[in-house]
Amino acid sequence: MKNLWKVLCTLFCVCTICFALIHRNVIKAAIKGEPLPEAPEWHKWHH
Protein backbone atom coordinates (compact mmCIF):
# COMPACT_ATOMS: atom_id res chain seq x y z
CA MET A 1 0.00 0.00 0.00
CA LYS A 2 2.89 2.33 0.78
CA ASN A 3 4.27 1.69 -2.70
CA LEU A 4 0.94 2.57 -4.28
CA TRP A 5 0.94 6.00 -2.60
CA LYS A 6 4.48 6.62 -3.79
CA VAL A 7 3.53 5.72 -7.36
CA LEU A 8 0.38 7.87 -7.23
CA CYS A 9 2.24 10.85 -5.79
CA THR A 10 4.97 10.53 -8.42
CA LEU A 11 2.39 10.29 -11.20
CA PHE A 12 0.55 13.34 -9.83
CA CYS A 13 3.79 15.35 -9.70
CA VAL A 14 4.77 14.38 -13.25
CA CYS A 15 1.30 15.29 -14.58
CA THR A 16 1.36 18.62 -12.71
CA ILE A 17 4.79 19.50 -14.12
CA CYS A 18 3.69 18.58 -17.66
CA PHE A 19 0.53 20.69 -17.29
CA ALA A 20 2.55 23.67 -16.03
CA LEU A 21 5.07 23.41 -18.87
CA ILE A 22 2.38 23.13 -21.54
CA HIS A 23 0.35 26.04 -20.15
CA ARG A 24 3.27 28.24 -19.01
CA ASN A 25 2.30 31.18 -21.26
CA VAL A 26 -1.26 31.17 -19.94
CA ILE A 27 -0.04 30.93 -16.34
CA LYS A 28 2.41 33.83 -16.85
CA ALA A 29 -0.31 35.99 -18.41
CA ALA A 30 -2.74 35.21 -15.58
CA ILE A 31 -0.15 36.11 -12.93
CA LYS A 32 0.79 39.37 -14.67
CA GLY A 33 -2.85 40.30 -15.27
CA GLU A 34 -2.35 40.35 -19.05
CA PRO A 35 -4.88 39.06 -21.58
CA LEU A 36 -4.68 35.33 -22.05
CA PRO A 37 -3.03 34.13 -25.28
CA GLU A 38 -5.28 32.80 -28.02
CA ALA A 39 -5.74 29.04 -27.87
CA PRO A 40 -4.68 26.98 -30.89
CA GLU A 41 -7.53 25.99 -33.22
CA TRP A 42 -7.35 22.32 -32.18
CA HIS A 43 -7.73 23.30 -28.52
CA LYS A 44 -10.97 25.30 -28.89
CA TRP A 45 -14.42 24.00 -28.12
CA HIS A 46 -16.72 24.25 -31.11
CA HIS A 47 -20.45 24.18 -30.43
Side-chain angles (χ1 to χ4, degrees), residues 1-21:
M1 192 65 163
K2 203 175 200 180
N3 243 359
L4 176 63
W5 282 113
K6 187 175 181 179
V7 170
L8 289 176
C9 287
T10 302
L11 182 61
F12 176 78
C13 290
V14 169
C15 289
T16 302
I17 291 169
C18 288
F19 177 88
L21 288 173

Side-chain angles (χ1 to χ4, degrees), residues 9-44:
C9 287
T10 302
L11 182 61
F12 176 78
C13 290
V14 169
C15 289
T16 302
I17 291 169
C18 288
F19 177 88
L21 288 173
I22 291 168
H23 294 93
R24 66 187 174 273
N25 293 330
V26 174
I27 295 167
K28 278 192 257 183
I31 291 171
K32 292 181 177 181
E34 298 172 350
L36 298 180
E38 188 69 25
E41 193 61 36
W42 59 268
H43 197 305
K44 297 179 183 177

